Amino acid sequence: MSLIEQLRAQFPFYAAANPCHYLDNAATSQIHQQALAAMAGQEASRANVHRSPYRLAEASTHAYGEARARVARFLNAAANDEVVFTSGATAALNLVAYSVGETLQAGDEVLISAAEHHSNFVPWLRLRERSGIRLRVLPLLPDGRIATASLAELVTERCRLIAITHCSNVTGAVTDVAAVVAAARKVGALVLLDGAQQVQHGPVDVQMLGADFYAFSSHKCFGPTGVGVLWGRQAVLERLPPFMTGGGMVGEVSLESLSFAAPPARFEAGTPPVAQAIGLGAAVDWLMTLPWAEIHQAESALLARLLAGLATFPAVRLIGPADLARRLPIVSFEVRGIHPHDVCQVLGERQVALRGGNHCAQPLFAALNSAGATRASLALYNDAADVDALLAGLEDALKVLS
Ligand code: PLP
């Protein structure tokens, strides 16, 4: 069995009668059997966590803590308590915007980029409305990469936080994180990385990246929906106020006084997504066992095949770098004169699953002077037949729609 066949055999999706050519992995990936089984096992015999002393409740609490430890290993976190479970990347990014936001003064600056997904754009616009912070925005190069050369000009003494994507969900471009972290350190600013797109392409080393926060969603890395992670450097989390409040996140509560639990509990108000976190733990555990060098090679070969195939269509314009070295296999393209929704519709009828539109990144499309794009996003279980089906379908779409 080839590596791709071995991988596919582990996904219930590929056991279905007619799985489509699934190329919408940047929106959500398929779930791994281990994640599904772990989640089902937890739900079949469950109790709430961190609350009761009977055996079932203790087992739940233990399994939830074990999931946290697995995610910490996946991220190479310095401590398990640096991992906060949220409902997803969006919730993790909002958590930082609110909690760090509460510590900022009017006139303090937050730097983002024009490549951000709305979930790392809108929370900062809202913070600007609430607190009078100044929002600065790193521009894009013509091929959609973030112009990190502008860091020198845009990171001022008032910069308190740089919130930036690790990889664009539109262009596939991977950010030069070292340049961002170096610029932030010069002025004592924090760094938040939106890792939503990165995590399905292999374990991440937060210590090596050198940022202060890392956000991602489970459903984009072969785990269940409904859970995500905010990793935060312990010393940074400890000095932040909570975002959501309620049960499980307090120290002492009375009418006169209120104190908060230490992180991560401080940031996990209410009953957490226990089964989903356990499913995510199983997914990342599996991810850590994979031969990533081989997978990256296969992903790069498929990406090259897709880019070369698209280049044969004169009506197609690529949105994103053509350079294979610093990008993930997320490929967005315009088809001259045809709306992306129509391209996706025709391809969908041919069992090729793509996404079209502005991909929750309107500022990026405005910066690149584009009305929207069709996107193919590849994952470790995709093969040449998926790419070829896309290219053949595109040829048909051009005939039908031109
Ligand atoms: N950030 C990026 C770069 C994304 O691509 C996405 C989702 O597509 C998100 C954040 C938000 O993720 P979620 O909807 O899982 O919260």
Side-chain angles (χ1 to χ4, degrees):
M1 256 211 267
S2 71
L3 176 61
I4 303 260
E5 284 166 342
Q6 285 174 44
L7 293 170
R8 284 189 173 191
Q10 300 172 53
F11 283 82
F13 171 75
Y14 284 103
N18 288 307
C20 62
H21 295 285
Y22 189 76
L23 296 172
D24 197 16
N25 294 287
T28 198
S29 61
Q30 296 301 329
I31 190 167
H32 188 263
Q33 62 185 17
Q34 201 165 294
L36 206 53
M39 200 169 50
Q42 170 64 22
E43 289 289 59
S45 177
R46 70 184 184 187
N48 213 326
V49 292
H50 300 147
R51 279 159 174 79
S52 309
Y54 52 89
R55 216 164 56 199
L56 190 59
E58 282 167 353
S60 271
T61 299
H62 177 77
Y64 184 61
E66 194 46 42
R68 197 187 304 282
R70 289 171 174 193
V71 172
R73 278 199 295 277
F74 176 71
L75 295 173
N76 192 29
N80 296 348
D81 285 350
E82 294 188 334
V83 172
V84 176
F85 284 117
T86 66
S87 65
T90 300
L93 295 163
N94 273 274
L95 192 167
V96 178
Y98 277 81
S99 292
V100 172
E102 218 172 281
T103 69
L104 301 184
Q105 317 282 327
D108 282 346
E109 295 181 3
V110 171
L111 176 66
I112 58 174
S113 86
E116 301 311 310
H117 186 279
H118 292 164
S119 46
N120 195 32
F121 206 102
V122 181
W124 306 109
L125 294 178
R126 293 281 295 126
L127 179 62
R128 182 174 67 180
E129 285 171 8
R130 284 199 311 276
S131 331
I133 59 148
R134 178 163 185 195
L135 197 55
R136 289 184 178 263
V137 183
L138 278 165
L140 304 183
L141 299 171
D143 69 1
R145 283 175 302 149
I146 296 168
T148 41
S150 301
L151 282 164
E153 177 198 336
L154 294 177
V155 179
T156 72
E157 288 297 323
R158 291 301 302 266
C159 183
R160 299 289 176 259
L161 177 82
I162 304 179
I164 201 158
T165 191
H166 192 176
C167 167
S168 162
N169 64 310
V170 177
T171 66
V174 177
T175 304
D176 181 355
V177 172
V180 172
V181 170
R185 293 298 171 246
K186 274 191 197 153
V187 297
L190 297 169
V191 176
L192 161 63
L193 293 177
D194 173 359
Q197 292 301 334
Q198 189 71 37
V199 283
Q200 68 171 261
H201 300 285
V204 169
D205 187 333
V206 288
Q207 298 195 60
M208 209 158 80
L209 286 168
D212 300 286
F213 302 105
Y214 198 89
F216 71 92
S217 288
S218 151
H219 70 98
K220 293 190 203 284
C221 62
F222 315 108
T225 54
V227 68
V229 167
L230 175 70
W231 167 82
R233 205 177 282 285
Q234 194 153 17
V236 177
L237 288 180
E238 273 166 5
R239 59 175 200 257
L240 287 184
F243 165 34
M244 299 248 290
T245 55
M249 50 74 67
V250 292
E252 301 282 336
V253 187
S254 72
L255 262 183
E256 290 74 36
S257 68
L258 171 63
S259 66
F260 301 120
R266 185 184 303 166
F267 303 104
E268 294 184 358
T271 298
V274 178
Q276 291 87 339
I278 289 166
L280 169 60
V284 297
D285 241 17
W286 170 71
L287 283 172
M288 283 186 286
T289 66
L290 297 180
W292 281 104
E294 207 180 328
I295 290 171
H296 287 151
Q297 214 170 20
E299 282 183 347
S300 293
L302 274 193
L303 173 62
R305 188 183 188 98
L306 177 55
L307 292 177
L310 289 175
T312 64
F313 293 93
V316 166
R317 175 171 88 108
L318 184 68
I319 306 279
D323 167 23
L324 296 186
R326 307 200 68 175
R327 72 185 329 289
L328 293 181
I330 299 171
V331 178
S332 295
F333 55 93
E334 289 175 337
V335 184
R336 196 185 318 119
I338 305 178
H339 195 282
H341 289 168
D342 293 333
V343 176
C344 291
Q345 179 78 32
V346 173
L347 272 287
E349 284 158 12
R350 285 155 181 74
Q351 304 310 315
V352 181
L354 303 173
R355 180 170 166 196
N358 61 46
H359 306 282
C360 301
Q362 290 177 23
L364 178 145
F365 282 96
L368 297 178
N369 199 19
S370 169
T374 301
R375 181 182 73 187
S377 45
L378 313 178
L380 42 69
Y381 38 57
N382 287 123
D383 64 6
D386 294 326
V387 169
D388 294 350
L390 186 169
L391 295 171
L394 187 56
E395 205 166 321
D396 289 351
L398 279 161
K399 281 186 202 137
V400 174
L401 300 167
S402 295

